[in-house]
Amino acid sequence: MTVRIRIPAPLRSVTDGQAELTAHSDNVGQLLGELEARFPQIGPRLRDEDGALRRFVNLYVNGEDVRFLRGLDTDLKAGDEVSIIPAVAGG
Amino acid sequence: MATVYIPTSLRRLTQGSARLASDAADVGALLGWLDEAFPGLGAELFDADGNLHRFVNVYVNNRAIDELQGFETILEREDEVAVIPAISGGQTNGASPASGRFTPQQAVRYSRHIILPEIGGVGQRKLLNAKVVLIGAGGLGSPAALYLAAAGVGTLGVVDFDDVDLSNLHRQIIHGHANVGRPKVESARDRLADINPDTTVVPHTEALTSENAMQILDQYDIVVNGSDNFATRYLVNDAAYLLNKPLVDGAIFRFDGQATVFMPGQGCYRCIFPSPPPPGAVPSCAEAGVLGVLPGMIGVIQATETIKLILGLGHPLVGRWLLYDSLEMEFREIKLQRDPECPLCGDNPTIRALIDYEVFCGAPMAATGG
């Protein structure tokens, strides 16, 4: 499935500056694997040592938090938009 | 049989009569009778919705009906009712923001609000009576405070323990060059006083802590979050929820901004981010830099949402997370929902009082705003 991934500004340093990527994945877990294969530095930014999603970086599929869907097992279909949104604290 | 005094400016509509007699039982009935008996008079007294014009004062025996029972004020024999359009010389001097009528200066200052049917005199009064607290007088707090004061929000609390630094001025537009080195709260108060003397600024020149947050936030209706570190963000989130106050949230980082409104019971910051990043994982603005104009966009969104909440207008940014990417010049929206597992606002909460946020985040509350 061809899906789009929105990369937030703080992570663009590890995606060669790209704000949007495309990938071909059937679910969110696969998508992360694909991203990590292409951009090895992104892995530790998204997952902890046990491979679980970090609690201060959220993933959304079409605007819905994957924690409220099926987490890393959340299915993706063609045209879906996946957003990575980190916590930021500046004021 | 009460008597109604008609001022000079309205006598053309009462065939020149200065005093009229009426057997109306109360003020509402009396005004209704004037409206029916004297064509044209009603339009001088009431707006399209049947409310008294903001500039019309009604007195019974020289007391404003706002201090009595309004339209339900009972009229007895010998009572004298006066209908005074304020702008043409009625008793407007000394009207305070809390009382029912605007001073002539207020009627002009807020005229562009008042002519909006969605705001009107009633809405402007709500703004004047509103109490809003800004956490931080920094990048977000600056534009938010400037617009809230300009809009006539009557009480603005400002919480910030920091002094104005030269490096703040590229984005913290409430502060000027001459104020470098002064406490931000004092600098902000002076600027806001110049923008609108109707706004009372309550200075809280201290760090927001677990010890003082409940007492400070409890004095206000709405909390606007412009803090610059995770520990304070969790503190403000928890305190606002525990006090049942709406929290108008905003955050910025480099070129990106985020904004949402947390209404108690409809999700909170912990529902989005159950735990903070480890210390050092996310750099601060001081470490990573920030586009100076960025907090203007987010802070003005926060001011807009605050004003909408006060007025009960439109669709608030509740359950929606607005993300702003200044480089792509793009706004996107993410759905937010309450997490039933949330330790604060979930079904089985474990946080029932403020905790130690520096321990929780493993990082000090470095500064409060920007």
Side-chain angles (χ1 to χ4, degrees):
Chain A
M1 299 298 171
T2 302
V3 298
R4 293 184 300 142
I5 308 118
R6 302 282 320 194
I7 306 295
L11 288 184
R12 287 177 206 158
S13 59
V14 296
T15 61
D16 302 332
Q18 297 180 79
E20 186 170 312
L21 305 168
T22 54
H24 308 276
S25 310
D26 293 331
N27 64 41
V28 171
Q30 269 187 27
L31 175 69
L32 289 188
E34 193 174 331
L35 280 181
E36 285 160 348
R38 284 162 69 184
F39 307 105
Q41 288 172 293
I42 208 169
R45 306 287 288 271
L46 303 180
R47 304 197 213 225
D48 62 21
E49 298 72 19
D50 301 326
L53 273 183
R54 292 191 182 278
R55 304 309 302 267
F56 55 90
V57 179
N58 289 351
L59 288 182
Y60 297 84
V61 175
N62 301 329
E64 300 233 30
D65 191 335
V66 300
R67 284 191 296 136
F68 299 111
L69 299 170
R70 295 180 55 224
L72 295 178
D73 296 328
T74 302
D75 290 331
L76 296 174
K77 60 183 189 307
D80 278 352
E81 181 180 272
V82 178
S83 301
I84 302 171
I85 305 177
V88 303
Chain B
M1 187 71 66
T3 307
V4 197
Y5 171 76
I6 304 294
T8 324
S9 61
L10 296 181
R11 282 179 209 161
R12 64 193 156 83
L13 300 169
T14 60
Q15 291 87 48
S17 295
R19 285 190 162 72
L20 303 165
S22 163
D23 54 7
D26 61 23
V27 169
L30 176 79
L31 295 174
W33 169 71
L34 286 177
D35 181 26
E36 283 178 21
F38 302 97
L41 191 53
E44 299 286 336
L45 303 180
F46 299 105
D47 64 20
D49 296 326
N51 297 312
L52 267 186
H53 284 306
R54 64 185 189 277
F55 48 81
V56 173
N57 292 344
V58 178
Y59 299 87
V60 176
N61 301 330
N62 293 321
R63 290 185 65 193
I65 60 169
D66 292 342
E67 301 170 23
L68 303 168
Q69 283 80 49
F71 286 358
E72 276 88 55
T73 305
I74 302 293
L75 297 175
E76 313 268 4
R77 285 170 62 89
E78 313 293 320
D79 279 349
E80 183 173 273
V81 180
V83 178
I84 312 287
I87 289 174
S88 62
Q91 299 182 19
T92 58
N93 292 337
S96 72
S99 74
R101 297 285 168 250
F102 298 113
T103 64
Q105 206 177 45
Q106 288 176 324
V108 176
R109 174 183 288 275
Y110 305 119
S111 57
R112 304 305 195 268
H113 264 175
I114 291 168
I115 59 170
L116 289 169
E118 293 84 354
I119 298 181
V122 172
Q124 190 59 49
R125 180 64 54 202
K126 288 181 186 169
L127 291 168
L128 285 163
N129 289 335
K131 297 178 177 175
V132 175
V133 63
L134 297 142
I135 311 303
L140 296 171
S142 286
L146 292 170
Y147 271 108
L148 291 173
V153 170
T155 304
L156 280 181
V158 182
V159 185
D160 204 310
F161 70 89
D162 218 353
D163 294 337
V164 179
D165 187 85
L166 189 57
S167 68
N168 298 152
L169 299 188
H170 94 307
R171 66 192 184 286
Q172 300 184 16
I173 57 173
I174 203 167
H175 309 298
H177 191 86
N179 282 320
V180 169
R182 285 186 77 202
K184 285 185 178 178
V185 164
E186 289 180 20
S187 165
R189 182 189 57 200
D190 291 353
R191 182 78 188 96
L192 296 173
D194 187 41
I195 286 176
N196 190 348
D198 287 343
T199 297
T200 301
V201 175
V202 182
H204 300 279
T205 316
E206 55 194 320
L208 198 71
T209 66
S210 299
E211 285 69 46
N212 63 19
M214 298 294 277
Q215 181 261 329
I216 291 175
L217 268 52
D218 196 31
Q219 303 168 44
Y220 301 93
D221 309 318
I222 297 174
V223 182
V224 178
N225 197 359
S227 58
D228 68 351
N229 63 83
F230 284 106
T232 306
R233 288 189 176 276
Y234 282 94
L235 166 63
V236 170
N237 177 70
D238 294 2
Y241 176 77
L242 293 170
L243 289 165
N244 202 31
K245 312 268 185 194
L247 172 59
V248 182
D249 208 57
I252 51 169
F253 183 75
R254 300 187 73 229
F255 298 97
D256 286 8
Q258 308 175 343
T260 189
V261 175
F262 296 117
M263 291 297 267
Q266 298 181 52
C268 75
Y269 190 64
R270 288 179 183 273
C271 297
I272 312 180
F273 295 114
S275 52
V282 178
S284 69
C285 288
E287 294 158 344
V290 60
L291 182 67
V293 71
L294 172 69
M297 185 68 83
I298 302 299
V300 171
I301 288 170
Q302 291 178 279
T304 308
E305 289 302 309
T306 302
I307 287 168
K308 283 165 58 187
L309 288 179
I310 294 166
L311 296 174
L313 267 187
H315 302 287
L317 194 58
V318 175
R320 299 184 284 147
W321 199 19
L322 189 64
L323 307 174
Y324 169 61
D325 180 336
S326 66
L327 294 181
E328 302 296 309
M329 193 44 77
E330 186 178 69
F331 286 91
R332 291 186 305 131
E333 237 181 72
I334 296 288
K335 284 178 213 148
L336 292 184
Q337 52 187 308
R338 189 182 73 101
D339 182 355
E341 307 284 315
C342 176
L344 181 70
C345 73
D347 295 341
N348 298 294
T350 53
I351 298 169
R352 297 170 186 279
L354 299 182
I355 61 174
D356 185 329
Y357 294 88
E358 296 192 340
V359 169
F360 177 63
C361 292
M365 296 175 175
T368 301

